[in-house]
Amino acid sequence: VKNKLVCDYKIYLPLIVEDVKVKYLNQDGKSKVRFMQTWVSYKTNYADRGEKELTLKKVNGEILIVREELLYSEPANDYFGT
């Protein structure tokens, strides 16, 4: 299943998330989320794309990121048509 989420922080930091995969871990109530991320800075005309993994845990009713790892990254020159 291909999912896509776009987060625009209004300060030249759009983030595109695609190909989301969720793995539920019963150990300590944690879950892992792995996805392809495209990060863009319009201010510097730079973009990169790579695979990221988040480990999430529910603490006091809130879901928190307890670990974040960028597994690899490469320039996404095609984002600006170059």
Side-chain angles (χ1 to χ4, degrees), residues 5-16 38 40 42 79:
L5 171 68
V6 178
C7 303
D8 189 344
Y9 295 99
K10 309 281 185 219
I11 55 171
Y12 306 107
L13 299 175
L15 179 67
I16 300 167
T38 303
V40 180
Y42 291 114
Y79 192 87

Side-chain angles (χ1 to χ4, degrees), residues 37 61 75 78:
Q37 167 185 292
D78 59 321

Side-chain angles (χ1 to χ4, degrees), residues 26-42:
N26 292 330
Q27 185 178 4
D28 295 330
K30 293 179 183 174
S31 296
K32 287 192 177 185
V33 179
R34 190 176 279 206
F35 52 88
M36 290 299 295
Q37 167 185 292
T38 303
W39 180 87
V40 180
S41 170
Y42 291 114

Side-chain angles (χ1 to χ4, degrees), residues 1-2 4 9 15 17 20-21 23 25 28 30 35 38 42 44-46 49 54 56-57 64 67 73 76 78-79:
V1 177
K2 187 171 184 175
K4 189 171 185 176
Y9 295 99
L15 179 67
V17 174
V20 178
K21 297 172 188 82
K23 180 178 180 183
L25 307 174
D28 295 330
K30 293 179 183 174
F35 52 88
T38 303
Y42 291 114
T44 62
N45 275 0
Y46 177 79
R49 181 177 297 121
L54 303 178
L56 309 174
K57 184 175 182 177
L64 304 176
R67 185 168 187 266
S73 178
D78 59 321
Y79 192 87

